[in-house]
Amino acid sequence: MTEKRKIEIMDTTLRDGEQTNGVSFTSSEKLTIAKLLLEELNVDRIEIASTRVSEGEFNAVKEITQWAQSKGLIDRIEVLSFIDKGLSIDWMKETGAKVQNLLAKGSLNHLTHQLRQTPEEHFRAIEEVIQNALSNGIETNVYLEDWSNGMRNSKEYVLNFIEFLARQPIKRLLLPDTLGVLTPSETRMFITEIKKMYPDMHLDFHAHNDYDLGVANVLEAVRAGADGLHLTINGMGERAGNAPLASAVAVINDFVPEVQIGVREKSLYSVSKLIETFSGFRIPENKPVLGDNVFTQTAGIHADGDNKNNLYFNDLLPERFGRKRQYALGKTSGKANIKKNLQELGLHLGEEEVTKVTQRIIELGDKKEVVTREDLPYIISDVLGSNTDEDRIVVESYVLTHAKGLRPATTVSVRIDGKTIQENAQGDGQFDAFMNTLKKIYAEKGMKLPKLTDYAVRIPPGSNSDALCETVITWETGEKTFKTRGLDSDQTVSAIVATQKMLNII
């Protein structure tokens, strides 16, 4: 059996990912994330900061390196450094960091217009930094910034640069698509070319996602022979971000079986959600692997197919990532979706009852409301608790008004035993105005309404939607006390539904 080629995963969430607009981690958050990345996710290396950024960054790096040293992980901690006459090396020595990722110019355009140096001058300066690092016990990897444009527009310079670095005591050559401009075919062609020329050189590929090609470029880099990848949690990073760790891991595991990576898939979701909380950078609902919707079947036909030999499954099974498949409830839901959710709740309904519940969910979906599994018991209680016979008394229509400086008012039309009566009244709130209107109508008929003794409103616990509001009202007559329940997406309407039920009971 052929041994699989090992691909190193370097996570740069704490350095490149923190360049996401508006994101800044505290020292304690950085330490927590570093621990999660190395111990929980099992990435091979982490890039945690740039040198000389701030006092807070200095303290964070020091905390992480002290922890890593105590765990024997210090060689897996990396810091971005600069050609700055030894200042970065001094900074690293003080923090205890042992691996520098030295930023150099990977395109003639950057070298000429930003540094205003010749290639020879640049190479000499780099050699001095590498030697200084070596004498201080610091290992060096070298970034070729803007390498992708360099390969397009100044290939001779890039290849001369790599030839120079091949003679230096460096461990890895880091090839970034700094501006996210590469196509997958270019990525594969450029890395293949360099790998053929320097088969023993360790090549890392660093993808940005400006054209939404980050993961595709990662895939082609691996196929071309790249030895390592730079990725971020949730695709965090400057502009459109970096290639996302979760998607890249899934793609490599499923489509490049000849290579091996050590990242634990099952921990991806929990770690990503925690970093979402720390960063405030929200995971889009449709983001592959991690998004709230990606393992949710919405159409009823898909749920039916899953019941029949998992017809709508692919290799991205949610259990791989510590997640579960869900079946959405809405206007496209069929009975199969309802049954799947009932199974999860441990509930069983007959076919007729499922039909009624399905119809109620479709009605809510038509109102653009999202229904969750947690809403189901409330819907079942409401639907199955409704009168099976046609109500004698129906609130046919109403107008509720609430304006600043004016008392709420209501006009209500009620059909009682086939006869429609309309009245209006004011109150201290919209529902109070509604009840005052009903009292006028019933007074005209010589009837008295029960006394409202309790009014409770709640939403389904655990529900993450505002689809449903349940109002339970307790009524009291001289003879008995009873409750009615109303369910709707609007609080006042749910109270009116509960009140109509009361009218048909008395």
Side-chain angles (χ1 to χ4, degrees):
M1 186 175 178
T2 306
E3 187 176 350
K4 291 187 175 185
R5 178 164 63 93
K6 176 74 167 65
I7 301 291
E8 286 186 352
I9 300 298
M10 192 271 271
D11 184 282
T12 184
T13 302
L14 292 175
R15 199 277 298 176
D16 220 11
E18 200 180 26
Q19 291 178 197
T20 306
N21 185 31
V23 172
S24 179
F25 297 117
T26 66
S27 293
S28 60
E29 287 172 342
K30 278 204 161 196
L31 179 58
T32 299
I33 293 170
K35 291 177 179 179
L36 287 170
L37 292 173
L38 291 174
E39 294 186 320
E40 180 70 21
L41 274 182
N42 196 40
V43 301
D44 298 282
R45 300 141 49 204
I46 57 174
E47 189 176 47
I48 62 171
S50 300
T51 64
R52 303 169 53 214
V53 169
S54 67
E55 187 67 24
E57 198 80 331
F58 176 89
N59 293 330
V61 172
K62 199 167 185 177
E63 285 185 29
I64 292 171
T65 56
Q66 287 173 350
W67 167 80
Q69 189 75 55
S70 71
K71 295 287 186 176
L73 303 173
I74 192 62
D75 60 332
R76 294 166 66 179
I77 307 294
E78 302 176 11
V79 173
L80 182 73
S81 62
F82 308 96
I83 304 166
D84 54 11
K85 301 185 186 301
L87 294 176
S88 286
I89 298 299
D90 291 341
W91 191 94
M92 291 182 66
K93 284 169 60 180
E94 288 188 62
T95 62
K98 297 294 184 182
V99 182
Q100 70 164 336
N101 293 338
L102 180 62
L103 191 67
K105 294 302 179 184
S107 72
L108 195 57
N109 185 45
H110 269 223
L111 177 67
T112 303
H113 294 97
Q114 191 168 39
L115 295 188
R116 302 185 186 281
Q117 292 181 346
T118 66
E120 292 73 25
E121 290 172 329
H122 193 42
F123 298 171
R124 279 198 301 271
I126 291 168
E127 186 171 12
E128 289 177 8
V129 174
I130 294 171
Q131 289 302 320
N132 186 14
L134 192 63
S135 65
N136 283 284
I138 293 174
E139 193 174 83
T140 300
N141 305 317
V142 178
Y143 267 117
L144 299 191
E145 187 180 22
D146 201 38
W147 163 80
S148 46
N149 275 319
M151 288 295 287
R152 280 180 175 178
N153 306 314
S154 51
K155 184 182 286 189
E156 183 179 0
Y157 164 75
V158 176
L159 296 181
N160 286 339
F161 197 170
I162 296 174
E163 174 62 29
F164 158 74
L165 290 172
R167 300 191 299 270
Q168 298 299 314
I170 68 169
K171 188 165 185 181
R172 303 176 184 90
L173 183 63
L174 317 179
L175 306 175
D177 182 16
T178 304
L179 299 178
V181 297
L182 286 180
T183 63
S185 60
E186 285 178 307
T187 301
R188 190 166 190 171
M189 179 174 62
F190 292 158
I191 293 180
T192 297
E193 183 176 355
I194 295 171
K195 198 65 180 176
K196 282 183 178 178
M197 295 175 68
Y198 303 97
D200 296 327
M201 183 175 279
H202 181 110
L203 303 181
D204 274 10
F205 178 63
H206 179 113
H208 280 259
N209 207 33
D210 295 70
Y211 284 94
D212 208 15
L213 291 172
V215 174
N217 287 335
V218 161
L219 176 62
E220 293 308 307
V222 172
R223 287 173 170 166
D227 303 288
L229 300 169
H230 297 186
L231 306 164
T232 62
I233 298 291
N234 303 336
M236 293 172 64
E238 199 169 16
R239 305 185 312 277
N242 294 37
L245 175 68
S247 297
V249 166
V251 164
I252 293 167
N253 282 338
D254 287 359
F255 299 123
V256 199
E258 65 272 20
V259 305
Q260 176 185 351
I261 55 177
V263 176
R264 295 189 185 98
E265 283 189 337
K266 215 169 187 66
S267 298
L268 281 167
Y269 181 68
S270 59
V271 172
S272 292
K273 293 298 284 185
L274 182 63
I275 293 177
E276 177 188 47
T277 302
F278 284 168
S279 66
F281 181 75
R282 299 304 174 200
I283 302 171
E285 292 186 349
N286 63 339
K287 189 171 186 64
V289 179
L290 302 175
D292 287 344
N293 290 348
V294 298
F295 296 119
T296 300
Q297 302 282 41
T298 301
I301 190 173
H302 294 165
D304 181 64
D306 289 349
N307 281 329
K308 299 171 180 175
N309 202 37
N310 297 330
L311 298 181
Y312 292 92
F313 281 22
N314 60 20
D315 288 339
L316 285 173
L317 296 174
E319 291 77 14
R320 283 173 55 180
F321 310 103
R323 304 189 62 185
K324 283 187 175 182
R325 191 171 302 280
Q326 298 181 13
Y327 295 87
L329 299 170
K331 69 178 181 180
T332 60
S333 300
K335 290 182 180 179
N337 277 48
I338 310 299
K339 289 177 179 178
K340 284 281 190 182
N341 282 279
L342 290 172
Q343 287 171 13
E344 288 289 328
L345 292 169
L347 300 175
H348 177 76
L349 297 179
E351 283 299 315
E352 185 179 344
E353 294 165 330
V354 170
T355 299
K356 289 180 180 180
V357 172
T358 302
Q359 185 56 43
R360 183 72 172 104
I361 290 171
I362 291 171
E363 289 171 5
L364 287 165
D366 279 336
K367 295 164 69 175
K368 295 191 176 182
E369 302 294 352
V370 178
V371 182
T372 68
R373 182 186 302 157
E374 289 78 9
D375 297 324
L376 264 181
Y378 289 74
I379 295 172
I380 292 168
S381 175
D382 180 63
V383 171
L384 302 188
S386 299
N387 294 335
T388 53
D389 300 326
E390 184 177 352
D391 289 334
R392 287 178 47 250
I393 302 171
V394 178
V395 178
E396 291 188 319
S397 58
Y398 48 84
V399 176
L400 308 172
T401 61
H402 195 165
K404 183 177 181 181
L406 299 174
R407 293 189 74 198
T410 307
T411 299
V412 180
S413 177
V414 180
R415 176 165 48 85
I416 303 176
D417 293 327
K419 182 180 178 182
T420 299
I421 305 170
Q422 181 175 304
E423 270 294 353
N424 59 76
Q426 294 180 324
D428 293 329
Q430 290 182 328
F431 183 66
D432 185 54
F434 174 82
M435 289 301 299
N436 288 340
T437 306
L438 280 184
K439 289 173 184 176
K440 287 178 69 174
I441 292 173
Y442 272 65
E444 290 174 12
K445 295 182 68 66
M447 299 170 65
K448 188 177 180 181
L449 291 176
K451 180 182 178 183
L452 190 158
T453 60
D454 190 46
Y455 180 103
V457 180
R458 58 180 177 173
I459 61 171
S463 173
N464 61 0
S465 76
D466 59 357
L468 295 179
C469 173
E470 183 187 55
T471 302
V472 179
I473 303 178
T474 303
W475 310 93
E476 185 181 294
T477 66
E479 304 165 353
K480 62 178 180 178
T481 297
F482 63 98
K483 295 181 180 181
T484 57
R485 177 185 288 106
L487 197 70
D488 196 84
S489 56
D490 181 275
Q491 177 182 326
T492 304
V493 175
S494 68
I496 292 173
V497 171
T499 303
Q500 178 175 295
K501 291 181 179 179
M502 174 272 292
L503 296 177
N504 284 280
I505 291 174
I506 60 174

